[in-house]
Amino acid sequence: MNLALLGSTGSVGRQALEVLDKPPLVLTASKNAALLEEQARRLQPRLVCLEDESAGRNLKTALADTPVTVRYGAESAAEAASFSGADTVLNAISGVTGLLPTLAALNAGKRLLLANKESLVCGAPLIRKAREIIPVDSEHSAVFQCLQGAEPDSVKRVILTASGGAFRGFSREQLEQVTPEAALRHPTWRMGKKVTIDSATLLNKGFELIEAMVLFALPYEKVSIVLHPESIIHSLVEYTDGAMLAQLAVPDMRLPIRYALTYPARKPAPVRPLDLTAQGSLTFAEPDRETFRCLALAERAAQAGGNMGAALCGAGEAAVEAFLAGRVGFLEIEERIERSLDNTPLIENPSLDDILDTVEMCKRAC
Ligand code: MG
């Protein structure tokens, strides 16, 4: 396997480097030039790409004493995704900027391992070969594993588990007061900032609902969500005969990353084994959509389809950025997303330009 690792300086990218058998041929990052340079010197890829232009120019000078090619700019990640020397692309970019590289990888006929959920949430109407994508998101990896060997007609529904995030059990009054620091303390998972805040609002689970609909070609009615605070069952498939299959493991992203990289084989991963008796009990509950309204808003976007996923992503990115910068409170994240969904005209079969325009409009409006 010759890998292009997109988003190598982020949380999934760094964990992927811990479980790879062979260094990637391509590395990309958005802004973190220092870590990208360190990775390039250590791993000697053929190509590195940085989205940020001025930092990219400096990186090119810094790596001039090495054989590594440096590209930079907004289009460089999509160029990396179609790099001719790579047969496999792991898209671990965070956010909507992952969409164009996903489309580029699919168009170039690469094997795509996808951690970037926004590609599917925004790009659902444009994704043609969804069944060939190997999911990296832990829930979708679990579903993918539980679906091995299944006949499509035998699937009754998919059940995504949700930890409930940092504020599970909080009231609206308590949520009013929470800080970015508290929201960034996820109880079970080690992840990047954006997805950790999205977990605290449950927007992440709404994204994952749409992601499951696209990946597994399921209608809205066939994807359910259940709270499971222990994060041991990563998701389930219920079959028409009433059987449910679940995938269990300790919460460690290196396992779904490793599985995507080695699929269909299973190879040892540096993950602590799950001790069932030490774990004791596993619990389940209905998510609280009245307190965590982002989930209900994402469900509304999932049912509407078209460009509404793009509205959800654009508004979500801008609102979370404002929350992390201390400009708005936690509950304003959902208010801003709701306003964007209300104000975005539905385009049922959007083009790529329609989708990118919707994202930009909703970002600006937030
Ligand atoms: Mg997930």
Side-chain angles (χ1 to χ4, degrees):
M1 180 182 60
N2 288 318
L3 182 72
L5 175 54
L6 315 183
S8 65
T9 60
S11 173
V12 169
R14 282 181 278 125
Q15 293 181 76
L17 290 173
E18 292 177 26
V19 298
L20 274 172
D21 290 326
K22 182 180 150 192
L25 285 187
V26 180
L27 299 171
T28 83
S30 152
K31 293 190 238 4
N32 193 343
L35 180 54
L36 187 62
E37 181 182 346
E38 186 273 309
Q39 290 175 342
R41 290 195 181 277
R42 181 160 49 89
L43 303 166
Q44 299 284 309
R46 283 173 51 196
L47 174 68
V48 300
C49 300
L50 195 65
E51 189 188 337
D52 185 296
E53 285 205 25
S54 64
R57 247 175 257 123
N58 294 338
L59 181 66
K60 191 168 182 157
T61 312
L63 288 174
D65 62 330
T66 72
V68 180
T69 303
V70 178
R71 313 280 283 179
Y72 49 84
E75 254 114 77
S76 61
E79 191 183 326
S82 47
F83 181 70
S84 60
D87 51 37
T88 305
V89 173
L90 169 49
N91 183 352
I93 292 172
S94 165
V96 177
T97 48
L99 173 62
L100 293 179
T102 284
L103 296 174
L106 290 173
N107 285 338
K110 309 291 187 191
R111 185 165 178 263
L112 177 62
L113 322 181
L114 189 61
N116 175 265
K117 54 192 81 187
E118 289 84 356
S119 297
L120 300 181
V121 178
C122 285
L126 308 173
I127 304 285
R128 300 280 169 256
K129 293 182 264 183
R131 278 168 203 253
E132 292 168 28
I133 298 173
I134 301 172
V136 173
D137 205 347
S138 61
E139 294 79 0
H140 305 80
S141 174
V143 170
F144 183 74
Q145 293 177 54
C146 294
L147 283 173
Q148 293 303 309
E151 287 175 7
D153 289 350
S154 65
V155 174
K156 190 171 169 198
R157 63 178 172 142
V158 154
I159 304 166
L160 303 176
T161 53
S163 68
F167 304 134
R168 184 174 47 86
F170 275 42
S171 66
R172 300 280 295 174
E173 291 68 36
Q174 288 172 297
L175 289 179
E176 189 94 61
Q177 308 298 332
V178 299
T179 61
E181 293 69 36
L184 286 170
R185 262 179 251 127
H186 195 281
T188 50
W189 287 101
R190 166 163 78 100
M191 304 182 291
K193 277 188 183 177
K194 169 70 165 62
V195 59
T196 303
I197 301 297
D198 288 347
S199 293
T201 61
L202 294 197
L203 179 62
N204 181 56
K205 210 46 59 177
F207 280 175
E208 291 180 352
L209 161 73
I210 300 173
E211 197 184 350
M213 290 166 63
V214 181
L215 282 171
F216 308 116
L218 293 169
Y220 174 77
E221 296 70 31
K222 287 195 172 187
V223 186
S224 314
I225 294 165
V226 66
L227 272 193
H228 170 49
E230 296 84 9
S231 300
I232 294 297
I233 294 184
H234 297 301
S235 280
L236 310 91
V237 176
E238 182 177 7
Y239 285 91
T240 46
D241 61 359
M244 279 187 188
L245 300 192
Q247 185 254 349
L248 290 75
V250 295
D252 186 325
M253 275 310 293
R254 291 175 301 176
L255 185 56
I257 296 168
R258 178 79 169 148
Y259 181 72
L261 287 164
T262 62
Y263 170 82
R266 282 186 188 273
K267 299 271 179 68
V271 173
R272 182 167 56 84
L274 172 60
D275 182 338
L276 287 172
T277 51
Q279 179 63 40
S281 57
L282 300 177
T283 59
F284 305 94
E286 193 65 36
D288 180 354
R289 292 170 171 79
E290 278 163 30
T291 305
F292 296 91
R293 294 191 52 247
C294 280
L295 177 56
L297 292 169
E299 288 172 337
R300 175 180 151 192
Q303 284 173 288
N307 60 333
M308 287 299 145
L312 192 69
C313 286
E317 277 188 17
V320 167
E321 199 183 300
F323 171 68
L324 285 173
R327 293 199 302 274
V328 306
F330 187 77
L331 291 179
E332 272 174 79
I333 297 175
E334 68 186 37
E335 281 169 29
R336 286 170 179 234
I337 292 173
E338 183 164 36
R339 221 179 306 137
S340 282
L341 293 184
D342 288 344
N343 294 338
T344 301
L346 175 67
I347 305 173
E348 276 179 42
N349 292 301
S351 65
L352 176 57
D353 282 341
D354 293 332
I355 285 173
L356 297 175
D357 286 349
T358 301
V359 169
E360 279 314 308
M361 266 168 35
C362 293
K363 270 191 184 175
R364 274 202 304 274
C366 276

